[in-house]
Structure formats: C-alpha cells, structure tokens
C-alpha cells in the first residue's frame, strides 16, 4: 500500500538512502516520506544509527614468544551527516573494522612481554581506538569505545604461570612459618633461661639462710655451754637433722626408701659429709 501511495516510513534511529535513477539523491530522516517511484526515485537501503558492538578475537605472539589471544570489543555507529559515505563506501563494515583491529594488535603486542601485555591493556585499547578513529572517520563511522576485554595465554603457559605464582606464595608462607617458629624457640629459650636463673637464686638464698641459721645456733650454744667448741655443736646439730630425716622417710607412706649404711661409729663420718656439703654450698653461693 505504501508503494502504491509512494509513501515510505523511516523508523527512529534509522536513516534511509534515496536514489534517483540509481544515483544518490538524499538521506531521509526518521518519519514518513514521499518517494514517487514512477519518476525514478527509490529507497536504496536503510542505515541504523544505533551503537553496535563487534567482538574481535586476535591470536598473536608476545616479545617473549608466548602465544596469547586478545579479545577486543569495538563499539561504533554510523554518523547521520555522513550516512551516504557509510552506506556506499564500505561493503562490509564489520570485516573492515576487524582487519584494522588485527593490524593494530599484531603490531603492538609483539613489542611487549606477556606480563606487560596484562599491565598495558589500556594502552593497547587506546592504540586500537586511535587507529580505528582515524580510518573509519573517512567512511562515515564513529568509534564510540574500544575495550580489551580479555587476554588469554596458551593453556600450557597459563598453567606454568599459575604454578610459578603458587610456588612463590608457598615460599613466602614457608618463610613466615619458619620466622614464627624461630620466635617461639627464642622466647622459649629466654623463658627457660630466666626460670633457671630464678631457680638458682632461690637455691642460693635457701642455702645461705640455712648456713646463717646454723651459724647463729652454733654460736649461741657454744657461748651458753662452757667447754664446747663450735665443731662439737655443729656435729650434734647435723646428727640430729640426720636422724630427723631418717624418721620422716620411715614415717611416709608413699616415698622411696633411701638406705644409707650407718652405725654408731659412722655417725662422725655422716656429720663430716653433711658439714662438707653445706660448706661447699655456702662457698658456691657466695661466688
């Protein structure tokens, strides 16, 4: 019905290319237009002004000979004031854009190591955008945005990179664990040293107190009882302590019995041994 009435409807965000006897005549904006076909006018085609997206996968090699697949997303649209160029100058717009993307990526990535490819992703996208903008503007297209959406190394390379990363993290973890164990051992050794030091001080003070008490007892007894020497009093005290100890060992229900050979003639030997031990302890504590 529209053809009979010579009326053509152009949708929103679309322009129509009108020809007269096969020659470009005009660009029709969205709306209803009269195109009298009987005088040689016709619609050659319609062109969308919407933003379109083209995803391009390009395989290339880096400077360190690693094959990677770079995925670029190109967002573009036709310009309404250059609709005739966009319609007539390019046969296949998407193929043309893809060719330019391949050219830029394969000219940029081989100059970078694989690690730098990931770090300079935005620089690669900018290089692609600049080249496309310069080339496609002559054909009536605008490059809206260029994104590098993915960089995929070869599967073997990816596995090797993951293993290197895992080994590095394990090495750091092992160092941290060893450092922690080292600190624990140092603190434990410091604690043991402090404990032994304090224990030694306690033993030394205990021996000193015993010696001081015995000395006071001996001096007091020898001063109050005429005819007794300090040695006699000391022997008596030691023998008394000896028998008290034997009594405690025998009276205890749960203890290990200690048998010391002795007799009436061996009391002096026992006293001598005890006295010598106490004197040696006093000498060591004074040092």
């Amino acid at each position: 019905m529209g053809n009979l009435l010579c009326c053509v409807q152009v949708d929103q965000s679309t322009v129509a290319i009108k020809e007269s006897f096969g020659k470009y005549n005009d660009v029709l904006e969205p709306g209803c237009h009269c195109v009298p076909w009987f005088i040689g006018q016709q619609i050659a085609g319609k062109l969308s002004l919407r933003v379109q997206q083209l995803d391009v996968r390009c395989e290339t090699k880096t400077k360190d000979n690693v094959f990677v697949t770079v995925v670029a997303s190109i967002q573009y649209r036709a310009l309404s004031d250059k609709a005739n160029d966009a319609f007539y100058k390019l046969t296949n717009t998407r193929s043309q854009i893809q060719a330019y993307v391949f050219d830029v990526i394969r000219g940029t990535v081989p100059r970078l190591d694989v690690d730098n490819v990931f770090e300079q992703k935005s620089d690669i996208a900018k290089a692609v955008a600049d080249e496309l903008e310069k080339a496609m503007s002559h054909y009536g297209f605008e490059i809206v945005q260029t994104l590098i959406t993915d960089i995929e190394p070869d599967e073997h390379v990816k596995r090797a990179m993951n293993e290197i990363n895992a080994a590095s993290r394990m090495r750091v973890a092992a160092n941290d664990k060893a450092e922690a164990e080292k600190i624990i051992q140092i603190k434990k050794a410091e604690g043991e040293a402090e404990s032994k030091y304090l224990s030694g001080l306690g033993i030394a003070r205990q021996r000193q107190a015993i010696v001081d008490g015995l000395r006071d007892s001996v001096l007091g007894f020898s001063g109050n009882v005429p005819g007794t020497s300090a040695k006699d009093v000391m022997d008596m005290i030691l023998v008394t302590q000896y028998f008290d100890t034997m009594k405690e060992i025998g009276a205890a229900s749960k203890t290990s019995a200690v048998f010391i050979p002795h007799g009436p003639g061996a009391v002096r030997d026992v006293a001598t041994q005890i006295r010598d031990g106490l004197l040696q302890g006093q000498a060591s504590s004074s040092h």
Side-chain angles (χ1 to χ4, degrees):
M1 186 67 178
N3 290 336
L4 293 177
L5 298 177
C6 302
C7 293
V8 175
Q9 177 181 317
V10 181
D11 297 331
Q12 184 66 33
S13 299
T14 306
V15 293
I17 306 300
K18 185 175 71 171
E19 293 180 345
S20 180
F21 295 104
K23 182 181 179 181
Y24 168 73
N25 180 266
D26 194 10
V27 176
L28 303 182
E29 298 291 336
C32 185
H33 300 272
C34 181
V35 182
W37 55 269
F38 50 86
I39 60 173
Q41 294 184 357
Q42 63 176 352
I43 299 298
K46 294 182 179 181
L47 184 67
S48 175
L49 301 180
R50 295 178 180 177
V51 176
Q52 303 180 61
Q53 178 168 310
L54 173 63
D55 293 328
V56 180
R57 298 178 63 89
C58 177
E59 184 179 19
T60 184
K61 186 173 70 171
T62 63
K63 185 179 180 180
D64 47 353
N65 297 321
V66 175
F67 282 92
V68 295
T69 299
V70 180
V71 181
S73 294
I74 313 300
Q75 297 176 356
Y76 65 98
R77 66 181 177 185
L79 298 172
S80 59
D81 56 342
K82 295 183 179 180
N84 57 329
D85 292 336
F87 186 81
Y88 288 106
K89 287 187 175 181
L90 288 181
T91 304
N92 192 326
T93 305
R94 300 175 72 87
S95 297
Q96 187 74 16
I97 293 176
Q98 181 174 309
Y100 279 110
V101 173
F102 280 174
D103 181 66
V104 175
I105 291 178
R106 288 174 176 169
T108 304
V109 173
R111 296 198 297 266
L112 304 172
D113 292 332
V114 64
D115 292 334
N116 293 333
V117 172
F118 288 92
E119 296 174 0
Q120 301 183 22
K121 185 172 65 172
S122 58
D123 295 337
I124 298 173
K126 186 177 184 303
V128 174
D130 292 343
E131 183 65 24
L132 283 176
E133 184 67 33
K134 182 173 60 177
M136 299 304 293
S137 61
H138 298 295
Y139 302 109
F141 285 92
E142 176 190 13
I143 303 301
V144 178
Q145 186 67 270
T146 300
L147 303 172
I148 301 298
T149 58
D150 197 9
I151 299 174
E152 300 176 359
D154 181 79
E155 187 63 31
H156 298 289
V157 176
K158 187 187 300 184
R159 188 181 302 113
M161 293 173 68
N162 290 335
E163 290 176 356
I164 292 173
N165 187 31
S168 176
R169 293 181 181 274
M170 290 178 64
R171 183 168 60 251
V172 173
N175 290 337
D176 292 344
K177 182 178 179 181
E179 189 66 24
E181 292 179 351
K182 176 183 175 182
I183 294 174
I184 293 174
Q185 293 296 329
I186 291 175
K187 293 300 181 182
K188 183 178 180 181
E190 291 177 352
E192 291 178 353
E194 184 69 16
S195 175
K196 290 179 180 179
Y197 172 74
L198 295 176
S199 176
L201 287 179
I203 293 174
R205 291 173 180 174
Q206 179 187 23
R207 290 177 178 176
Q208 185 64 44
I210 293 174
V211 170
D212 292 342
L214 289 175
R215 183 181 65 245
D216 294 340
S217 298
V218 169
L219 292 177
F221 191 87
S222 60
N224 295 326
V225 180
T228 58
S229 64
K231 179 177 182 302
D232 295 335
V233 177
M234 188 67 182
D235 289 342
M236 184 181 66
I237 292 174
L238 293 177
V239 170
T240 301
Q241 290 182 343
Y242 171 76
F243 283 112
D244 289 341
T245 303
M246 295 296 295
K247 180 180 178 181
E248 291 178 359
I249 294 175
S253 59
K254 294 182 179 180
T255 184
S256 298
V258 179
F259 296 96
I260 301 176
H262 68 284
V267 172
R268 183 174 299 274
D269 294 337
V270 172
T272 301
Q273 294 175 8
I274 297 175
R275 182 174 61 251
D276 291 343
L278 289 174
L279 292 176
Q280 291 177 2
Q282 181 182 13
S284 62
S285 63
S286 62
H287 289 296

